[in-house]
Amino acid sequence: MGQHWDIFCRVIDNYGDIGVSWRLARDLAARGQSVRLWLDDASALAWMAPGGLPPGINVLPWNQSSSAQEAGDVVIETFGCELPEAFVRRMAERAKPPLWINLEYLSAEPYVERSHGLSSPQFSGPGRGLHKQFFYPGFSARTGGLLRETGLLAKQIDFDAQAWLASQGLERRPNERIVSLFAYANAALPQLLEDMACEPTLLLVCPGAAQTQMLVLQAQQALPTAGLRWQALPYLSQDGYDRLLWASDLNFVRGEDSFVRAQWAGKPFVWQIYYQHDGAHAAKLEAFMDLYLRGSDAHLAQQTRAIWRSWNGLQAWQPGLLSQVADRAHALKWREDLTSQTDLVSQLLGLTHKTG
């Protein structure tokens, strides 16, 4: 029998926080759980999740949570968003306290394994007497794992890339590679485009900063004139974006949600990490590369690190970097390693059984 879940999300980045929260809600509902998703801005769901809500999910305004009559069996605050005090009070009023989980940001840094699962007793305030448990997604068996819905890899096996591209009004020309680009504004974009133009390339650019930057370069007549053609994509649903990743030969991704989906796509990818002014993003990037490239060919690892660092502004761009990104075989091996680990929702459900 399913349980009742409350997921709280403050939308800081329309594509990131809400993207993870929506995938989490969808996966829980698909496994028979009942979910209330409390959002302070649900506008991105209009394109991210078109066609109405699937059974088991109710999307509600954040500020209405204060009038909720009862808290669910499991309450998740995503990314340290801090629950409304009135709702925490409802949690404390339950005869059986809910499982309270703080779902943290994804990182490959060593502290994640040490911190995953730690409990924080609440000694004061409206939640006095409750315990909050820290849940860290990650890339090893000692973390909370990654979001991976049931049947994801089977869907990829049956995927027809040519048919999907045609449905989007796109067609691959002979000997042309397809590259997807979802990125923050990036000073290295002109150099990347020059590298792409060294062989026939169709660049598919997602809405956002990268698309705006491409339009500016086009207006300035600063795009390569041969070897590269590009297409501005509309907003895609989450399923549509997954299929873009599957149809592409190389994926440039950013943040957290698209970063994880690129790994499930099993294609070479380059990650643009969210920039932090204190420089903490550099350590996070290095920590993931250490895991991702462990045991790989030394030359491959060196060249992959070079393009990732250059794309993230951590070293100067050198011509020819694009031809040296990690190959398909490595991406598939990495995906196989991740698939052997328990996915995030299965781990969450396991926690509810332990506390049930």
Side-chain angles (χ1 to χ4, degrees):
M1 180 178 176
Q3 294 184 298
H4 296 282
W5 298 63
D6 285 300
I7 301 174
F8 284 81
C9 173
R10 284 197 180 278
V11 179
I12 299 171
D13 178 334
N14 278 344
Y15 310 126
D17 300 338
I18 193 173
V20 171
S21 298
W22 180 248
R23 287 196 194 275
L24 172 60
R26 280 210 311 171
D27 200 354
L28 284 167
R31 303 191 198 199
Q33 308 299 301
S34 175
V35 182
R36 290 188 298 189
L37 179 57
W38 303 94
L39 300 171
D40 64 346
D41 181 0
S43 59
L45 292 182
W47 54 265
M48 191 176 289
L53 300 179
I57 300 179
N58 192 12
V59 175
L60 298 165
W62 176 287
N63 57 15
Q64 288 186 12
S65 64
S66 297
S67 58
Q69 294 189 1
E70 187 177 20
D73 304 305
V74 186
V75 178
I76 297 179
E77 58 177 289
T78 60
F79 316 120
C81 63
E82 296 189 9
L83 303 180
E85 288 192 0
F87 194 85
V88 175
R89 199 169 291 114
R90 297 288 183 276
M91 293 164 62
E93 291 170 352
R94 280 182 54 117
K96 179 186 176 183
L99 175 61
W100 183 0
I101 292 173
N102 186 348
L103 179 65
E104 292 285 351
Y105 286 104
L106 175 64
S107 177
E109 294 173 287
Y111 77 85
V112 168
E113 291 189 344
R114 297 192 302 269
S115 304
H116 176 61
L118 293 181
S119 180
S120 174
Q122 306 297 296
F123 295 111
S124 61
R128 182 179 179 180
L130 298 176
H131 289 253
K132 181 192 302 188
Q133 186 165 338
F134 292 92
F135 192 99
Y136 283 83
F139 307 94
S140 75
R142 296 177 60 188
T143 70
L146 301 174
L147 285 167
R148 184 180 81 246
E149 62 271 26
T150 304
L152 173 62
L153 301 188
K155 290 178 182 177
Q156 293 184 40
I157 293 173
D158 296 332
F159 176 65
D160 186 334
Q162 183 176 343
W164 184 83
L165 289 168
S167 73
Q168 305 299 307
L170 303 168
E171 183 179 4
R172 183 199 301 262
R173 293 175 180 172
N175 302 315
E176 189 174 53
R177 68 179 168 190
I178 296 180
V179 180
S180 77
L181 177 63
F182 181 41
Y184 307 111
N186 196 315
L189 181 59
Q191 292 98 320
L192 172 66
L193 298 176
E194 290 294 335
D195 269 12
M196 282 187 186
C198 291
E199 64 177 271
T201 300
L202 171 59
L203 177 62
L204 303 178
V205 185
C206 296
Q211 196 173 104
T212 300
Q213 198 173 355
M214 287 292 296
L215 291 170
V216 170
L217 291 171
Q218 180 172 275
Q220 296 172 342
Q221 297 184 330
L223 296 177
T225 55
L228 174 71
R229 62 190 184 107
W230 78 283
Q231 178 69 47
L233 296 176
Y235 284 102
L236 297 173
S237 68
Q238 285 193 329
D239 290 341
Y241 181 72
D242 285 342
R243 283 152 180 76
L244 170 65
L245 297 174
W246 302 349
S248 300
D249 303 300
L250 172 63
N251 294 302
F252 282 77
V253 294
R254 65 173 226 193
E256 180 170 327
D257 183 54
S258 62
F259 170 50
V260 171
R261 302 312 285 191
Q263 292 170 67
W264 293 133
K267 300 290 186 71
F269 68 99
V270 179
W271 180 32
Q272 184 183 15
I273 193 169
Y274 184 80
Y275 176 82
Q276 293 176 272
H277 293 286
D278 61 1
H281 63 289
K284 293 179 183 294
L285 184 74
E286 295 293 331
F288 178 76
M289 289 193 295
D290 287 345
L291 280 182
Y292 180 58
L293 298 168
R294 186 182 343 184
S296 64
D297 174 80
H299 179 71
L300 173 70
Q302 178 184 11
Q303 300 305 322
T304 300
R305 288 180 187 275
I307 188 171
W308 282 41
R309 288 169 179 160
S310 298
W311 186 236
N312 283 279
L314 300 173
Q315 69 180 53
W317 188 278
Q318 298 297 322
L321 281 178
L322 189 60
S323 63
Q324 300 159 348
V325 70
D327 59 18
R328 179 81 193 279
H330 180 79
L332 287 172
K333 175 61 170 61
W334 174 251
R335 184 177 72 178
E336 182 181 347
D337 292 345
L338 293 179
T339 305
S340 68
Q341 300 168 22
T342 306
D343 69 273
L344 188 148
V345 168
S346 292
Q347 293 202 43
L348 285 175
L349 291 172
L351 278 178
T352 66
H353 295 150
K354 289 179 182 178
T355 59

